[in-house]
Amino acid sequence: MAYVITQRCCNDASCVPECPVDCIRPTPEQPEFATTEQLYIDPDTCIDCGACVDACPVEAIFSEDDLTASLARFRDINAAYFQRHPLESNFDPLVTPSRPPKELGTLRVAIVGAGPAACYAADELLRRADVEVEMFDRLPTPFGLVRAGVAPDHPGTKSVSAMFESAFRRDTLQYRLNVEVGKHISHDELLGHHHAVIYAVGASTDRRLDVPGEDLPGSHSATEFVAWYNGHPDYAERTFDLSGERVVIVGNGNVALDVARVLTLPPDELAKTDIADHALDALRNSNVREVVVLGRRGPLQAAYTSAEFLALGYLKGVDVIIDAAELELDPHSRELLDDPDIEPSLKLKYELAQEYAAKAPNPENKRIVFRYAASPTEISGDGKVEAVEFVHNELVAEDGAVVARASDRTETLSASMVLRSIGYRGVPIAELPFDDRKGIVPNEHGRVIADAAHVTGVYVSGWIKRGPRGVIGSNRVDATETVEQLLEDFTSGKLAAPQGDRAALEALLAERQPEAVNREGWKAIDIAEKTAGKSGGRPRVKLTSIEDLLKAARG
C-alpha cells in the first residue's frame, strides 16, 4: 500500500523533506517543479509511513486504500509520473539554513499584504532569524485569496491558513489589519520603522478582452464574481444577472472551472460551505442551466489542470459537454500527443476530454460546455448582455508552440452574462518602480530594482514579483528566495537600522488608524464567523461588510 497525492495539491512541497525514502517528486530544486501541476509519490518506493500526510497543509494526501471514487484515478496519475521520470534519489543530508549572527540584534520587517505570499515570507523569516514581523493589510482579515479566492467547495485548500495561524501564534509577528499602506502609513514611514519591507500584494486587477460591448451591464471579470461569492467586502454589494439560462466564461483556467462549478452545483451542496450568504441566496434563485467555457486554443493547450478537469466528472446533477469534433488536433498537437514521452498530465487532459465527449448527457442535468479554438469578437445586447460572438481559430505551430489564428468562421451564442477569466495583472505601488508590460515590480530574485540598481531594504514576493502564475504553494519557494536575499543583505550590513521601534509604530498607527485590527481582533472575527456557522453545519458564515467585521473585532 502507498500514499497518493490528489487534486488538492498546492505545490507547497512541505511533504518533500519529510519523506524518509525521498520518493516525492518533483522537488523545488528540479526544473520541472516550476511548471508541474502537482507533486507525486512513487508507489514502488513509498513505505506507507504517513509522514507526508502530517506535513501536507491542504489535506491532499491519502492512503490508496482510502481513496474515494472521485480520487481513485490519482493512484494511476501518481504512478504514471514515475514511468516518465524514474526515481533517482537526491537524498542528501539536510542542510540547516544559516541564521544572521545574534550580535546583529533583532531584524524588523514589514510585510505589505496578508495572503499566501506574505504568509510564506513571514513563516520563513520566523524560522530563519530573530525577527519582529509586522503584517499589513487594508482589509480587517488576513489570508488574501485563501479567504477570498479559493472556491467554497474546496475547503481542503483553505486549510493552509491553519498552518499559518499555528506559525503566527508568537508575539514576534503582529497583524496590522485594516491599515492601508499609502493612506494610513507611507512607504518611507515603513522603512523608517523597519530594516526592510516586503511587498506581497498580489495581482489585484484582471486583463481585459478589448472587444466591443465589454462594458455592457452583465459583462464582468471572473475576479469580481469570485470575490462576490467569497464575501470580499469590496464586492458584497455587487449584483449579477442570473436570470438567463446561459452564462459564457471566456478563458479556461482553473478560475473559470471554479466559477462554472459554483454556477451549476446544487445550492444545497454550496450551503454546506463558507460561501457568502448573499451569493447563496442569489444562486438559489438562479435560472442558469448552462455554462459555456471558451478557450482560444485546443484541448492540449487548455489552462486548467487535469486534476480540476477530472473533478468536474463527479459533480452531482452536472454534465460535462464536449463535441467530439472539437477534439480534432492540429498536426503539432497530434505529434505531441503521439510522443511516448508526453507528460502524463497533458495526456490525461485529452483522454478526459474524449471521455466527456463520449458520454450521453442527461437532459435533466445542468451543463458545463467546453468550446475550444474560440475567441470572442463582440459582446452585444440592447442595454445589457444578450449574446457573444466568437471566431473559430485555426491552430498553427509557431516556434515550437501552438498559436491561435482567427479564421473567417464566426458563431453567436445567446447569453445573459459574460465573465472574462483570462488572467490577472499587478498594479503599480506608490514609491516603487513598475514594469507596465509585465505587470510586476522589477526585481532580481526578490530584490526590487530601479535604474539597474537594487533599492535598499525593499523586496517583493508572490505575483507582484513573478507575475500571476502558480498556485498557493508556489509562493513558498518564491518567498524562500526573497527572504534569502533579505537575510543576506541584513547580515552584510546593507540594511539601515530603523529609526523607530514597535512601540513607536503602534503609537503612529493608533493616531492614524484607531480602527486597526490586531491578532486579538482577527481572532474575535474568526470565532464569530465559526460560531455563526455551527448551527447550519458550515465551517463559517462570513461577515461581508467592513462595519460588521470591525464590530466583531471589537466584540
Side-chain angles (χ1 to χ4, degrees), residues 150-451:
V150 174
D153 62 329
H154 280 14
T157 305
K158 295 173 186 281
S159 62
V160 68
S161 61
M163 178 187 74
F164 298 138
E165 291 275 29
S166 177
F168 299 165
R169 286 175 181 168
R170 293 177 291 156
D171 289 340
T172 47
L173 180 140
Q174 291 293 335
Y175 289 128
R176 310 295 181 184
L177 307 174
N178 201 39
V179 176
E180 186 171 349
V181 174
K183 177 180 178 182
H184 300 118
I185 187 169
S186 70
H187 170 74
D188 287 342
E189 286 171 331
L190 285 180
L191 283 175
H193 288 81
H194 304 87
H195 291 90
V197 181
I198 299 175
Y199 285 88
V201 294
S204 57
T205 190
D206 59 280
R207 294 173 57 194
R208 291 178 59 84
L209 297 170
D210 294 327
V211 299
E214 185 171 9
D215 295 318
L216 277 171
S219 172
H220 311 273
S221 72
T223 307
E224 297 171 292
F225 191 70
V226 169
W228 171 74
Y229 67 60
N230 273 320
H232 192 297
D234 291 352
Y235 298 90
E237 299 300 320
R238 299 287 180 93
T239 57
F240 294 88
D241 185 3
L242 305 179
S243 63
E245 292 196 354
R246 179 184 289 136
V247 171
V248 172
I249 303 175
V250 181
N252 60 9
N254 282 349
V255 172
L257 268 58
D258 287 345
V259 172
R261 289 197 318 276
V262 168
L263 284 168
T264 54
L265 277 171
D268 287 346
E269 290 292 314
L270 291 171
K272 302 171 186 175
T273 74
D274 67 352
I275 191 171
D277 281 350
H278 59 253
L280 183 60
D281 291 343
L283 290 165
R284 287 193 185 280
N285 295 301
S286 169
N287 291 325
V288 175
R289 299 285 304 168
E290 178 176 289
V291 177
V292 179
V293 180
L294 296 182
R296 65 187 177 89
R297 294 188 293 170
L300 283 185
Q301 294 81 36
Y304 51 70
T305 61
S306 56
E308 292 296 331
F309 195 40
L310 170 62
L312 294 181
Y314 294 91
L315 297 182
K316 182 179 179 181
V318 180
D319 285 327
V320 179
I321 306 297
I322 297 175
D323 185 343
E326 298 214 359
L327 299 183
E328 295 181 8
L329 297 176
D330 61 278
H332 182 78
S333 296
R334 171 53 61 187
E335 183 180 342
L336 182 64
L337 188 64
D338 290 341
D339 186 340
D341 290 329
I342 186 175
E343 282 291 341
S345 61
L346 193 59
K347 185 176 182 181
L348 179 60
K349 276 186 185 180
Y350 191 74
E351 291 175 348
L352 288 169
Q354 289 179 308
E355 291 171 17
Y356 290 141
K359 286 184 180 178
N362 182 342
E364 300 298 317
N365 285 350
K366 294 181 180 180
R367 300 151 53 98
I368 299 175
V369 181
F370 285 85
R371 301 295 304 270
Y372 299 103
S375 296
T377 53
E378 183 177 0
I379 300 170
S380 59
D382 185 9
K384 64 176 184 177
V385 170
E386 294 176 351
V388 180
E389 180 183 278
F390 62 91
V391 63
H392 291 269
N393 294 323
E394 294 178 351
L395 304 181
V396 296
E398 187 174 290
D399 297 327
V402 172
V403 298
R405 303 291 187 212
S407 72
D408 57 1
R409 293 191 303 123
T410 62
E411 187 175 337
T412 300
L413 282 175
S414 62
S416 60
M417 185 166 69
V418 175
L419 299 172
R420 61 183 180 274
S421 183
I422 56 173
Y424 297 89
R425 271 185 59 84
V427 298
I429 300 169
E431 310 299 327
L432 266 63
F434 190 72
D435 185 329
D436 192 63
R437 184 179 66 84
K438 295 181 179 179
I440 62 171
V441 172
N443 70 93
E444 185 176 32
H445 305 300
R447 289 186 177 106
V448 172
I449 295 175
D451 300 323

Side-chain angles (χ1 to χ4, degrees), residues 490-549:
F490 178 58
T491 302
S492 62
K494 294 179 180 178
L495 303 182
Q499 299 166 345
D501 58 11
R502 175 170 277 179
L505 176 69
E506 289 179 343
L508 176 65
L509 293 178
E511 177 186 343
R512 300 274 185 82
Q513 173 54 315
E515 293 279 16
V517 175
N518 58 16
R519 177 187 283 105
E520 289 69 32
W522 158 240
K523 190 178 295 184
I525 293 171
D526 191 38
I527 290 172
E529 291 184 336
K530 288 177 177 177
T531 300
K534 277 185 179 179
S535 61
R538 302 174 65 184
R540 68 173 68 236
V541 173
K542 287 180 178 174
L543 299 170
T544 60
S545 73
I546 298 295
E547 181 183 2
D548 287 343
L549 287 163

